[in-house]
Amino acid sequence: MQILLPSLQIGHYFARYPIIQGGMGIRISGANLAAAVANAGGIGVISAVALGLNSPYFDITQTNVGKRREQFFEANRLALIDEIQKARKLSPDGILAVNVMVAAQDYETLVRTSAEQGINLIISGAGLPMQLPEFTADYPEVALVPIVSSTRAARIMCRKWERNYGRLPDAFIVENPNSAGGHLGAKLEELGDRTLDAEQVIPELVTYLQQELGKAIPVIAAGGVWDRDDIDRMIAIGASGVQIGTRFITTDECDADIRYKEFHLHAQPEDVVIISSPVGMPGRALRNSFVEKAIAGDANLDKRCLASCLHNCKCRDEQKYYCIIKVLDKAARGDIENGLIFSGSNAGRAKRIMPVAELMAELVA
């Protein structure tokens, strides 16, 4: 018999349900999806990655590389402001977060912009956000939530944050690289290692936070969470809540093109594959024409860097792989054969596209 789900407190904020929607870029989780989840009692998340790419603020035909890069980063900032304001208008009282990648060249700008715009939480992964408290120092009400895949990473962060800033994270998201979608916090040769599973990492991290730090910092389980049974299982091992990404793609409010949602809807479990990425980490995605070419190392893949958006990029630096933001953008706009469609391991389980409110009701019933 299922028990009632607990509420979730992160910093100053209390969510009715312990469910955080995953931050999926580019423009998979924007204002519409985040607001819908927040209105349904969860925590809605806007992905800040490359929001300016398809915005009125960016001219993709700009041929001057320096000007294009400068314009791209300013477009990202302005588009993020628009997205946060739109989400807040749609959800005046909901809890809203922004997911910002440490790996992004404009990481500091996007973090500062999110805080200035009154976002409730900043979730940060794709690297350890060691300077996150510094960038949000003027906004102490903003909750800071790093994404980690090990207790070791969390321990390093806690020590540095306490020493340099006199504070600790308001929560941790533990991402399981063996089931999460998108870029994974593990090397290719580490995938399949069961010590990286949530069942191993979460109890260990909770013990560290409670016994060594003496703090009740919430730990959120991410990766492979699909239904109420998964939520109950994560809470039973010590998690305070869950983050769900892939399942929110097949919703009416997901910000992606309908063709993207339908591609997920019709996917089969065997369509989920691991792909190499110019960021230097593996990613979990759905098989399509682009992915087939990328796995085969097709020499004809477009390797022209658009805007030098990442600190480390093998496309820009070594002319290898492909431009990550170009292919993610193609997919989000409905080019499902030539774009990169990230997915968690549960792809193929969705039965239909439904409203977020209905999905949330199903998850928490």
Side-chain angles (χ1 to χ4, degrees):
M1 177 178 167
Q2 288 177 330
I3 59 173
L4 291 175
L5 284 177
S7 59
L8 174 62
Q9 180 183 0
I10 297 180
H12 300 294
Y13 307 102
F14 290 82
R16 182 180 179 187
Y17 300 118
I19 296 173
I20 301 176
Q21 159 247 316
M24 300 169 284
I26 298 171
R27 291 191 179 274
I28 307 304
S29 55
N32 293 310
L33 178 56
V37 173
N39 286 335
I43 297 177
V45 182
I46 296 166
S47 170
V49 60
L51 282 173
L53 188 54
N54 270 292
S55 74
Y57 311 113
F58 182 64
D59 178 12
I60 199 169
T61 64
Q62 171 63 255
T63 56
N64 183 294
V65 175
K67 287 183 178 179
R68 184 171 68 224
R69 183 172 181 267
E70 182 180 337
Q71 187 189 68
F72 174 76
F73 291 133
E74 177 62 5
N76 286 344
R77 185 183 71 83
L78 295 172
L80 176 58
I81 292 172
D82 288 350
E83 211 68 20
I84 293 172
Q85 292 181 349
K86 179 181 178 182
R88 184 53 73 197
K89 186 175 181 180
L90 292 170
S91 181
D93 302 313
I95 303 176
L96 296 171
V98 168
N99 183 298
V100 191
M101 298 192 309
V102 178
Q105 294 269 30
D106 52 349
Y107 173 70
E108 179 178 349
T109 296
L110 296 176
V111 166
R112 291 186 183 275
T113 299
S114 299
E116 289 165 3
Q117 291 299 309
I119 205 68
N120 303 126
L121 284 75
I122 293 177
I123 297 170
S124 194
L128 295 182
M130 294 303 192
Q131 292 179 279
L132 186 55
E134 175 185 336
F135 302 153
T136 58
D138 293 335
Y139 302 90
E141 70 281 3
V142 178
L144 306 181
V145 184
I147 300 174
V148 297
S149 55
S150 69
T151 301
R152 177 179 176 274
R155 182 182 284 110
I156 291 170
M157 199 172 311
C158 287
R159 287 173 178 169
K160 178 146 187 178
W161 280 28
E162 272 200 308
R163 182 173 66 248
N164 292 355
Y165 308 110
R167 68 163 298 172
L168 292 167
D170 294 289
F172 280 103
I173 292 175
V174 174
E175 185 180 84
N176 180 355
N178 290 322
S179 54
H183 286 118
L184 307 172
K187 297 177 181 178
L188 183 61
E189 58 270 22
E190 294 174 323
L191 296 182
D193 183 348
R194 308 324 297 184
T195 64
L196 299 175
D197 284 351
E199 287 82 356
Q200 298 291 321
V201 178
I202 288 175
E204 182 183 78
L205 178 54
V206 170
T207 298
Y208 162 70
L209 295 172
Q210 291 179 349
Q211 295 186 4
E212 292 191 41
L213 291 186
K215 303 291 185 181
I217 298 175
V219 175
I220 312 301
V225 180
W226 184 262
D227 56 21
R228 178 57 187 273
D229 286 343
D230 292 331
I231 297 172
D232 289 341
R233 181 166 50 86
M234 292 299 103
I235 290 176
I237 63 172
S240 297
V242 298
Q243 178 177 273
I244 300 175
T246 300
R247 190 155 192 202
F248 280 108
I249 291 173
T250 48
T251 60
D252 293 331
E253 293 89 346
C254 174
D255 294 80
D257 186 277
I258 184 62
R259 289 167 289 186
Y260 188 101
K261 302 178 193 182
E262 289 175 343
F263 196 81
H264 266 271
L265 183 66
H266 300 306
Q268 299 299 316
E270 58 268 24
D271 294 328
V272 181
V273 295
I274 299 297
I275 181 173
S276 297
S277 164
V279 306
M281 302 301 282
R284 186 168 282 108
L286 293 180
R287 188 183 299 275
N288 63 359
S289 295
F290 167 76
V291 165
E292 294 280 7
K293 293 175 183 176
I295 291 175
D298 192 322
N300 294 317
L301 287 178
D302 184 1
K303 299 179 179 64
R304 292 171 297 175
C305 173
L306 178 67
S308 188
C309 62
L310 300 170
H311 287 297
N312 299 302
C313 176
K314 294 187 178 182
C315 174
R316 177 195 62 218
D317 300 334
E318 302 175 27
Q319 290 72 57
K320 292 178 65 176
Y321 301 115
Y322 46 86
C323 177
I324 185 69
I325 60 170
K326 282 183 184 177
V327 292
L328 288 173
D329 175 62
K330 282 182 179 180
R333 290 188 289 114
D335 188 349
I336 55 173
E337 287 305 319
N338 300 302
L340 176 56
I341 302 175
F342 277 146
S343 173
S345 60
N346 281 308
R349 294 182 65 181
K351 304 303 180 186
R352 60 188 175 89
I353 296 173
M354 64 171 67
V356 163
E358 185 178 341
L359 172 55
M360 285 290 288
E362 179 182 317
L363 291 172
V364 305

